[in-house]
Amino acid sequence: MSELYDVTIIGGGTTGLYTAFYSGMRDMKTKVIEYQPDLGGKVSFFYPEKKIYDVGGFLGILGDDLVADVKEQALSVRPTFVMGQKIRAIDKQEDGTFMLTSLTGEKHFSKTVVVASGLGTYDMRPLDVEGSHLYEGKHIHYTIQNLMQYTGQKAVVISESRVGVDWALALEDVASAVHLINRGSEFKAVYENDVEKLKQSSVQVHMEAKVEQLKGTEVELEGVVLNNGEHIQTDHLLVYEGLQIDKSLYDQWGLTTEKGRIPVGTDMATSIEGVFVAGDAAIYPSKMMLIASGFNEAMAAVNSAKSFIDPKAKSQVYSTVIYKHLE
């Protein structure tokens, strides 16, 4: 059998990362399994360059900075990270431990499980233009992580939603030129002040436009051609044309669900003994869908997992005691 962990966390977003940190505080051997190739979850996808104001201790923090801080915090307790795997089954073994099996057949073994995978997995819709595969990752991006990589570069954003507007406005301060291409006649899900900021910016907006051709060598993107024949020089394409969402597999795992989410009490325990939940996947009376809420739920889930493994363990611990030697 493969190595047995005390806690295996499904999901490497901010809630999953904080769960890993707190699990380390509780002296538990921890593994994190994330479907995406990078950590950060929805914050990295949707809010990397937007300020978040509802996390305690920060008077506004960029999403990317929050992810970096929570990741650094998690790394301090040295959990094991497994990237690019989606769990299709959770099976309880005769000895009470769990076997988690990925879609590609990898198996993971754990004494407890914490589900922190939100409402399901998602991928950005890829750019549907011939030759785009040549530039994926280097010149074509589906998130705006690491804003500084666009310093002095020409950037084209392809989107008809508020996400694309946010990206374009964030790029304005670092890129040498920014174009925003919208296939529609208006932007979707935007606020009035978003449109006003866009009008007052230096971003060049192209409405009812579509990229039909990519120009460049096999290794370097040089520009795009629009459906009206206009040529735009660019170093980078940032694409947000919606998500391909795969609903959660919670039912398939044998968990009781309620409208796609997992009902729990204050101990964050699911219908399967030894499996707990934190973050957007959890549902209970007066549940708040906030990043900060996930942190509190993470602590509750980990404390429950610790008690499940060792009923004599303390119900909670205090960081001021654990890290007193660092003072």
Coordinates of all heavy atoms in Angstrom, one line a residue, residues 244-309:
Q244 N -15.8 25.9 -18.5 CA -16.3 24.5 -18.7 C -16.4 23.9 -17.3 O -15.3 23.6 -16.7 CB -15.4 23.7 -19.6 CG -15.3 24.3 -21.0 CD -14.3 23.5 -21.9 OE1 -14.4 23.6 -23.1 NE2 -13.4 22.7 -21.3
I245 N -17.6 23.8 -16.7 CA -17.7 23.4 -15.3 C -18.2 21.9 -15.3 O -19.1 21.5 -15.9 CB -18.7 24.3 -14.6 CG1 -18.3 25.7 -14.6 CG2 -18.9 23.8 -13.2 CD1 -19.3 26.7 -14.0
D246 N -17.4 21.1 -14.5 CA -17.8 19.8 -14.2 C -18.4 19.8 -12.8 O -17.7 20.2 -11.8 CB -16.6 18.8 -14.3 CG -16.2 18.6 -15.7 OD1 -17.1 18.7 -16.6 OD2 -15.0 18.3 -16.0
K247 N -19.6 19.3 -12.6 CA -20.2 19.3 -11.3 C -19.4 18.4 -10.4 O -18.6 17.5 -10.8 CB -21.6 18.9 -11.3 CG -21.9 17.5 -11.7 CD -23.4 17.2 -11.7 CE -23.6 15.7 -12.0 NZ -25.0 15.3 -12.0
S248 N -19.5 18.7 -9.1 CA -18.8 17.9 -8.1 C -19.2 16.4 -8.2 O -20.3 16.0 -8.7 CB -19.1 18.4 -6.7 OG -20.5 18.1 -6.4
L249 N -18.3 15.6 -7.7 CA -18.6 14.1 -7.7 C -19.0 13.6 -6.3 O -18.9 12.5 -5.9 CB -17.3 13.4 -8.1 CG -16.8 13.7 -9.5 CD1 -15.5 12.9 -9.8 CD2 -17.9 13.3 -10.5
Y250 N -19.6 14.6 -5.5 CA -19.9 14.2 -4.1 C -20.8 13.1 -4.0 O -20.7 12.2 -3.1 CB -20.4 15.5 -3.3 CG -19.4 16.6 -3.4 CD1 -19.9 18.0 -3.4 CD2 -18.1 16.5 -3.5 CE1 -19.0 19.0 -3.5 CE2 -17.2 17.5 -3.5 CZ -17.7 18.8 -3.5 OH -16.8 19.9 -3.6
D251 N -21.8 13.1 -4.8 CA -22.8 11.9 -4.8 C -22.1 10.6 -5.1 O -22.3 9.6 -4.5 CB -23.9 12.2 -5.8 CG -24.9 13.3 -5.3 OD1 -25.2 13.4 -4.2 OD2 -25.2 14.2 -6.2
Q252 N -21.2 10.7 -6.1 CA -20.5 9.5 -6.6 C -19.6 9.0 -5.5 O -19.3 7.8 -5.4 CB -19.6 9.9 -7.8 CG -19.0 8.7 -8.5 CD -18.4 9.1 -9.8 OE1 -19.0 9.8 -10.6 NE2 -17.2 8.6 -10.1
W253 N -19.1 9.9 -4.6 CA -18.2 9.5 -3.5 C -19.0 8.9 -2.4 O -18.5 8.4 -1.4 CB -17.5 10.7 -2.9 CG -16.5 11.3 -3.9 CD1 -16.0 10.8 -5.0 CD2 -15.8 12.6 -3.7 NE1 -15.1 11.7 -5.6 CE2 -15.0 12.8 -4.8 CE3 -15.9 13.6 -2.8 CZ2 -14.2 13.9 -5.0 CZ3 -15.1 14.7 -2.9 CH2 -14.3 14.9 -4.0
G254 N -20.4 8.9 -2.5 CA -21.2 8.4 -1.4 C -21.7 9.3 -0.4 O -22.3 8.9 0.6
L255 N -21.4 10.6 -0.6 CA -21.7 11.6 0.4 C -23.2 12.1 0.2 O -23.7 12.2 -0.9 CB -20.8 12.9 0.3 CG -19.3 12.6 0.7 CD1 -18.5 13.8 0.2 CD2 -19.2 12.4 2.2
T256 N -23.9 12.4 1.3 CA -25.2 13.0 1.3 C -25.0 14.4 0.8 O -24.1 15.2 1.3 CB -25.8 13.0 2.6 OG1 -26.0 11.6 3.0 CG2 -27.2 13.7 2.6
T257 N -25.8 14.9 -0.2 CA -25.7 16.2 -0.7 C -27.1 16.9 -0.6 O -28.1 16.3 -0.5 CB -25.2 16.2 -2.1 OG1 -26.1 15.5 -3.0 CG2 -23.8 15.6 -2.2
E258 N -27.0 18.2 -0.8 CA -28.2 19.1 -0.8 C -27.9 20.2 -1.8 O -27.1 21.1 -1.7 CB -28.4 19.7 0.6 CG -29.6 20.6 0.7 CD -29.8 21.2 2.1 OE1 -29.7 20.4 3.1 OE2 -29.9 22.4 2.2
K259 N -28.6 20.0 -3.0 CA -28.4 20.9 -4.1 C -27.0 21.1 -4.5 O -26.5 22.2 -4.7 CB -29.1 22.3 -3.8 CG -30.6 22.2 -3.6 CD -31.1 23.6 -3.3 CE -32.7 23.5 -3.2 NZ -33.3 24.8 -2.8
G260 N -26.3 20.0 -4.5 CA -24.9 20.0 -5.0 C -23.8 20.3 -4.0 O -22.6 20.3 -4.2
R261 N -24.3 20.6 -2.7 CA -23.4 20.9 -1.6 C -23.5 19.9 -0.5 O -24.5 19.1 -0.5 CB -23.6 22.3 -1.2 CG -23.2 23.3 -2.3 CD -23.9 24.7 -2.0 NE -23.2 25.4 -0.9 CZ -23.7 26.5 -0.4 NH1 -24.8 27.1 -0.9 NH2 -23.0 27.1 0.5
I262 N -22.6 19.9 0.5 CA -22.6 18.9 1.5 C -23.1 19.4 2.8 O -22.4 20.3 3.4 CB -21.1 18.4 1.6 CG1 -20.6 17.9 0.3 CG2 -21.1 17.3 2.7 CD1 -19.1 17.6 0.3
P263 N -24.2 19.0 3.3 CA -24.8 19.5 4.6 C -23.9 19.0 5.8 O -23.6 17.8 5.8 CB -26.2 18.9 4.6 CG -26.1 17.7 3.7 CD -25.1 18.0 2.7
V264 N -23.6 19.9 6.7 CA -22.8 19.6 7.9 C -23.3 20.4 9.1 O -24.1 21.3 9.0 CB -21.3 20.0 7.6 CG1 -20.7 19.1 6.6 CG2 -21.2 21.4 7.3
G265 N -22.8 20.0 10.2 CA -23.0 20.7 11.5 C -21.8 21.5 11.8 O -20.9 21.7 10.9
T266 N -21.7 22.0 13.0 CA -20.6 22.8 13.4 C -19.2 22.1 13.4 O -18.2 22.7 13.4 CB -20.8 23.5 14.8 OG1 -21.1 22.4 15.7 CG2 -22.0 24.4 14.7
D267 N -19.3 20.8 13.4 CA -18.0 20.0 13.4 C -17.6 19.7 12.0 O -16.5 19.1 11.8 CB -18.2 18.6 14.2 CG -19.3 17.8 13.6 OD1 -20.0 18.2 12.6 OD2 -19.6 16.7 14.1
M268 N -18.3 20.2 11.0 CA -18.0 20.0 9.6 C -17.9 18.5 9.2 O -17.3 18.2 8.1 CB -16.6 20.7 9.3 CG -16.6 22.1 9.7 SD -18.0 23.2 9.2 CE -17.8 23.2 7.4
A269 N -18.6 17.7 9.9 CA -18.6 16.2 9.6 C -19.7 15.9 8.5 O -20.8 16.4 8.6 CB -18.8 15.4 10.8
T270 N -19.3 15.1 7.6 CA -20.2 14.7 6.5 C -21.0 13.4 6.9 O -20.8 12.9 8.0 CB -19.5 14.4 5.2 OG1 -18.7 13.2 5.3 CG2 -18.5 15.6 4.9
S271 N -21.7 12.9 6.0 CA -22.5 11.6 6.2 C -21.6 10.4 6.3 O -22.0 9.4 6.7 CB -23.5 11.5 5.1 OG -22.9 11.4 3.9
I272 N -20.3 10.5 5.9 CA -19.4 9.4 6.0 C -18.4 9.7 7.2 O -17.7 10.8 7.2 CB -18.6 9.3 4.7 CG1 -19.5 8.9 3.5 CG2 -17.5 8.2 4.9 CD1 -18.8 8.8 2.2
E273 N -18.4 8.9 8.1 CA -17.6 9.1 9.3 C -16.1 9.1 8.9 O -15.6 8.2 8.2 CB -17.8 8.0 10.3 CG -17.3 8.2 11.7 CD -17.6 7.2 12.7 OE1 -18.0 6.0 12.2 OE2 -17.5 7.4 13.9
G274 N -15.4 10.2 9.3 CA -14.0 10.4 8.9 C -13.8 11.3 7.7 O -12.7 11.6 7.4
V275 N -14.9 11.7 7.1 CA -14.8 12.7 6.0 C -15.4 14.0 6.4 O -16.6 14.0 6.9 CB -15.5 12.2 4.7 CG1 -15.4 13.2 3.6 CG2 -14.9 10.9 4.3
F276 N -14.7 15.1 6.3 CA -15.1 16.4 6.7 C -15.1 17.4 5.5 O -14.6 17.0 4.4 CB -14.2 16.9 7.9 CG -14.1 15.9 9.0 CD1 -13.1 14.9 9.0 CD2 -15.1 15.9 10.0 CE1 -13.1 14.0 10.0 CE2 -15.0 14.9 11.0 CZ -14.0 14.0 11.0
V277 N -15.6 18.6 5.7 CA -15.7 19.5 4.6 C -15.4 20.9 5.1 O -15.7 21.2 6.2 CB -17.1 19.4 3.9 CG1 -18.2 19.8 4.8 CG2 -17.1 20.2 2.6
A278 N -14.9 21.8 4.2 CA -14.7 23.2 4.5 C -14.8 24.0 3.2 O -14.4 23.5 2.1 CB -13.3 23.4 5.2
G279 N -15.3 25.2 3.3 CA -15.3 26.1 2.1 C -16.7 26.0 1.4 O -17.7 25.6 2.0
D280 N -16.7 26.4 0.1 CA -17.9 26.5 -0.6 C -18.7 25.2 -0.7 O -19.9 25.2 -1.0 CB -17.6 27.0 -2.0 CG -17.2 28.5 -2.0 OD1 -17.3 29.2 -0.9 OD2 -16.8 29.0 -3.1
A281 N -18.0 24.1 -0.6 CA -18.7 22.8 -0.7 C -19.7 22.6 0.5 O -20.6 21.8 0.3 CB -17.7 21.6 -0.8
A282 N -19.5 23.2 1.6 CA -20.3 23.0 2.8 C -21.5 23.8 2.8 O -21.6 24.9 2.3 CB -19.5 23.3 4.0
I283 N -22.6 23.3 3.4 CA -23.8 24.0 3.5 C -24.4 23.7 4.9 O -24.4 22.6 5.4 CB -24.9 23.6 2.4 CG1 -26.1 24.5 2.5 CG2 -25.2 22.2 2.4 CD1 -26.0 25.9 2.3
Y284 N -24.8 24.8 5.6 CA -25.4 24.7 6.9 C -26.2 26.0 7.1 O -26.1 27.0 6.3 CB -24.4 24.5 8.0 CG -23.2 25.5 7.9 CD1 -23.3 26.8 8.5 CD2 -22.0 25.2 7.3 CE1 -22.3 27.7 8.5 CE2 -21.0 26.1 7.2 CZ -21.1 27.3 7.8 OH -20.1 28.2 7.8
P285 N -27.1 26.1 8.1 CA -27.9 27.3 8.3 C -27.0 28.6 8.4 O -26.0 28.5 9.1 CB -28.7 27.0 9.6 CG -28.8 25.5 9.6 CD -27.5 25.0 9.0
S286 N -27.4 29.6 7.7 CA -26.7 30.9 7.8 C -25.3 30.8 7.2 O -24.4 31.7 7.5 CB -26.7 31.5 9.2 OG -28.0 31.7 9.7
K287 N -25.0 29.9 6.3 CA -23.7 29.8 5.7 C -23.4 31.0 4.9 O -24.3 31.6 4.2 CB -23.8 28.5 4.7 CG -22.7 28.5 3.6 CD -21.4 28.1 4.2 CE -20.4 28.0 3.0 NZ -19.1 27.5 3.5
M288 N -22.2 31.5 5.0 CA -21.7 32.7 4.2 C -20.7 32.2 3.2 O -19.7 31.5 3.6 CB -21.1 33.7 5.1 CG -22.2 34.4 6.0 SD -21.5 35.8 6.9 CE -20.5 34.9 8.1
M289 N -20.9 32.6 2.0 CA -19.9 32.2 0.9 C -18.8 33.2 0.8 O -18.7 33.9 -0.2 CB -20.7 32.0 -0.4 CG -21.8 31.0 -0.4 SD -21.2 29.3 -0.3 CE -20.7 29.1 -2.0
L290 N -17.9 33.2 1.8 CA -16.8 34.1 1.8 C -15.5 33.4 2.0 O -15.5 32.3 2.6 CB -17.0 35.1 3.0 CG -18.2 36.1 2.9 CD1 -18.3 36.8 4.2 CD2 -18.1 37.0 1.7
I291 N -14.4 34.0 1.5 CA -13.1 33.4 1.7 C -12.8 33.2 3.2 O -12.3 32.1 3.6 CB -12.1 34.2 1.0 CG1 -12.3 34.3 -0.5 CG2 -10.6 33.7 1.3 CD1 -11.5 35.4 -1.2
A292 N -13.1 34.2 4.0 CA -12.8 34.2 5.4 C -13.6 33.1 6.1 O -13.0 32.4 7.0 CB -13.1 35.5 6.0
S293 N -14.8 32.8 5.6 CA -15.6 31.7 6.3 C -14.9 30.4 6.1 O -14.9 29.5 7.0 CB -17.0 31.6 5.6 OG -17.6 32.9 5.6
G294 N -14.2 30.2 5.0 CA -13.5 28.9 4.7 C -12.4 28.7 5.7 O -12.1 27.5 6.1
F295 N -11.7 29.7 6.2 CA -10.7 29.6 7.1 C -11.2 29.0 8.4 O -10.6 28.1 9.0 CB -9.9 30.9 7.3 CG -9.2 31.4 6.1 CD1 -8.9 32.8 6.0 CD2 -8.9 30.6 5.1 CE1 -8.3 33.3 4.9 CE2 -8.3 31.1 3.9 CZ -8.0 32.5 3.9
N296 N -12.3 29.5 8.9 CA -12.8 29.1 10.2 C -13.3 27.6 10.0 O -13.1 26.8 10.9 CB -14.0 30.0 10.6 CG -14.6 29.6 11.9 OD1 -13.9 29.7 13.0 ND2 -15.8 29.1 11.9
E297 N -14.0 27.3 8.9 CA -14.4 26.0 8.6 C -13.3 25.0 8.6 O -13.4 23.8 9.0 CB -15.3 25.9 7.4 CG -16.6 26.7 7.5 CD -17.2 27.0 6.2 OE1 -16.7 26.6 5.1 OE2 -18.2 27.7 6.2
A298 N -12.2 25.5 8.0 CA -11.0 24.6 7.9 C -10.5 24.2 9.3 O -10.2 23.0 9.5 CB -9.9 25.3 7.1
M299 N -10.4 25.1 10.2 CA -10.0 24.8 11.6 C -10.9 23.8 12.2 O -10.5 22.8 12.9 CB -9.9 26.1 12.4 CG -8.7 26.9 12.0 SD -8.5 28.4 13.1 CE -9.9 29.4 12.6
A300 N -12.2 24.0 12.0 CA -13.2 23.1 12.6 C -13.1 21.7 12.0 O -13.1 20.7 12.8 CB -14.6 23.6 12.4
A301 N -12.9 21.6 10.7 CA -12.8 20.3 10.1 C -11.5 19.6 10.5 O -11.5 18.4 10.8 CB -12.7 20.5 8.6
V302 N -10.4 20.3 10.6 CA -9.1 19.7 11.1 C -9.2 19.2 12.5 O -8.8 18.1 12.9 CB -8.0 20.7 10.9 CG1 -6.7 20.1 11.6 CG2 -7.7 20.9 9.4
N303 N -9.8 20.1 13.4 CA -10.0 19.7 14.8 C -10.8 18.4 14.9 O -10.6 17.5 15.7 CB -10.6 20.8 15.6 CG -9.6 21.9 15.9 OD1 -8.4 21.6 16.0 ND2 -10.1 23.1 16.1
S304 N -11.9 18.3 14.1 CA -12.7 17.1 14.1 C -11.9 15.9 13.5 O -12.1 14.8 14.1 CB -14.0 17.3 13.2 OG -14.8 18.3 13.8
A305 N -11.1 16.1 12.5 CA -10.3 15.0 12.0 C -9.3 14.5 13.1 O -9.1 13.3 13.2 CB -9.6 15.5 10.7
K306 N -8.7 15.5 13.8 CA -7.8 15.1 14.8 C -8.5 14.3 15.9 O -7.9 13.2 16.4 CB -7.2 16.4 15.5 CG -6.1 16.1 16.6 CD -4.8 15.6 16.0 CE -3.8 15.4 17.1 NZ -2.5 14.9 16.5
S307 N -9.7 14.7 16.3 CA -10.4 13.9 17.3 C -10.8 12.6 16.8 O -10.9 11.6 17.6 CB -11.7 14.8 17.8 OG -11.3 16.0 18.4
F308 N -11.1 12.5 15.5 CA -11.5 11.2 14.9 C -10.3 10.2 15.0 O -10.5 9.0 15.3 CB -11.9 11.4 13.5 CG -12.3 10.2 12.8 CD1 -13.6 9.6 12.9 CD2 -11.4 9.5 11.9 CE1 -13.9 8.4 12.3 CE2 -11.8 8.3 11.3 CZ -13.0 7.8 11.4
I309 N -9.1 10.7 14.7 CA -7.9 9.9 14.7 C -7.5 9.5 16.2 O -7.2 8.4 16.5 CB -6.8 10.6 14.0 CG1 -7.1 10.7 12.5 CG2 -5.5 9.8 14.2 CD1 -6.1 11.5 11.7

